[in-house]
Amino acid sequence: MTDDRLHLRQPTPWRHTNAMASRITDVTRRRLIEGLAAAAWYGALNEIEFLDRLYNLDTLPSTDSRYTTARQDIIQHCIANYDWPDDWIVDDERFGLASSDNALLQFLAEMLHPAVRTSLAEVEQLHTFLNQTLIHDGYEIVQVDAISGAPVFAGRRIGAGVPGSMKNLIFAADGPKPEIVFSDALNNDVRVVKNEEFCLVYDRPLAAHGLTWADLTSWWADREGLTGAPAREVSRSLYRRLDRSLGDNDAERRILRAYADRYVRLGDGIPALIPQVYLHYDPYTRAHHVPGAAPCRASAWTSCCSCRSESAS
């Protein structure tokens, strides 16, 4: 088994359960079935080879009394006799496509994998169709990696993130930390009243797809008078500014460099990675709080799990 299959193959229970309520409706599922009717869901593989990438077919039970495993079922009915309909997988409870959003999204993303389909034109066509269909239920299929220049996809909620609407994204201070006050308590509007010259403030509306590196560099180009400059030049300029905000923190600098490598491979449509984001405002000093209980004003990385906190002072 190749490495790119290891992270996908996982045991799946006979009765597939989903911790979260299903958002993908039966209407959308039917549209997907009808729209994919002309395209074999297993691509250049056969049914066994495709499903082996996602499920452990030897632990799933048979629905045919003559056999004991799903693998034996599929060999008998899809390869030996070919007496199951092409879309049999959709309603087979063992695979969860009719009951679990997560299972369906993984399945659809795998249909586009380079090991399954080698034609980039076909992948792009299917990718477009899937997103045009899933968008009505708040999901999309997005590129998360690449293999030999071919995209690798995963499903996600559109605009997934913290609740509420983003108004000001304050980040990447390269000097004294900004001092923030409420300018409108009813609407939770904040304003930087001191040290604003040392931080960056992204104040554009956040699109449904979130904030991409392309969005961030477009804002940076307007801010720095670089509109019309080559995209790589703008990206390098913004990268240098973000790097400066990290000071002597080599751990965070390695994260930024790893992200830059991903940008080179995948392009500017990837989610933006932003250092030192001010997530929480606390107007009180540490002296006002019970020892050990002071809320923090956090500066963190977006789009990754690394986060550090600093008490307000």
Side-chain angles (χ1 to χ4, degrees), residues 58-70:
D58 296 313
T59 62
L60 291 176
S62 170
T63 56
D64 187 323
S65 60
R66 296 172 295 175
Y67 307 109
T68 58
T69 69

Side-chain angles (χ1 to χ4, degrees), residues 138-170:
Y139 286 109
E140 63 182 344
I141 305 293
V142 297
Q143 182 176 349
V144 295
D145 207 343
I147 297 176
S148 299
V152 175
F153 296 92
R156 73 174 184 186
R157 286 275 301 276
I158 295 175
V162 296
S165 60
M166 186 188 78
K167 296 181 178 179
N168 292 295
L169 180 61
I170 304 170

Side-chain angles (χ1 to χ4, degrees), residues 49-118:
E49 292 169 336
F50 179 88
L51 292 174
D52 263 338
R53 299 176 60 82
L54 293 166
Y55 306 91
N56 189 332
L57 298 178
D58 296 313
T59 62
L60 291 176
S62 170
T63 56
D64 187 323
S65 60
R66 296 172 295 175
Y67 307 109
T68 58
T69 69
R71 181 182 303 278
Q72 294 169 317
D73 275 2
I74 299 168
I75 291 174
Q76 175 64 29
H77 296 286
C78 295
I79 298 176
N81 288 347
Y82 198 70
D83 55 3
W84 278 357
D86 292 337
D87 61 355
W88 66 268
I89 185 75
V90 176
D91 296 315
D92 193 314
E93 293 183 353
R94 292 172 293 183
F95 302 98
L97 303 189
S99 59
S100 167
D101 289 0
N102 184 58
L104 180 58
L105 292 170
Q106 284 186 322
F107 185 91
L108 296 174
E110 193 65 12
M111 286 178 56
L112 308 180
H113 194 280
V116 178
R117 282 182 163 77
T118 57

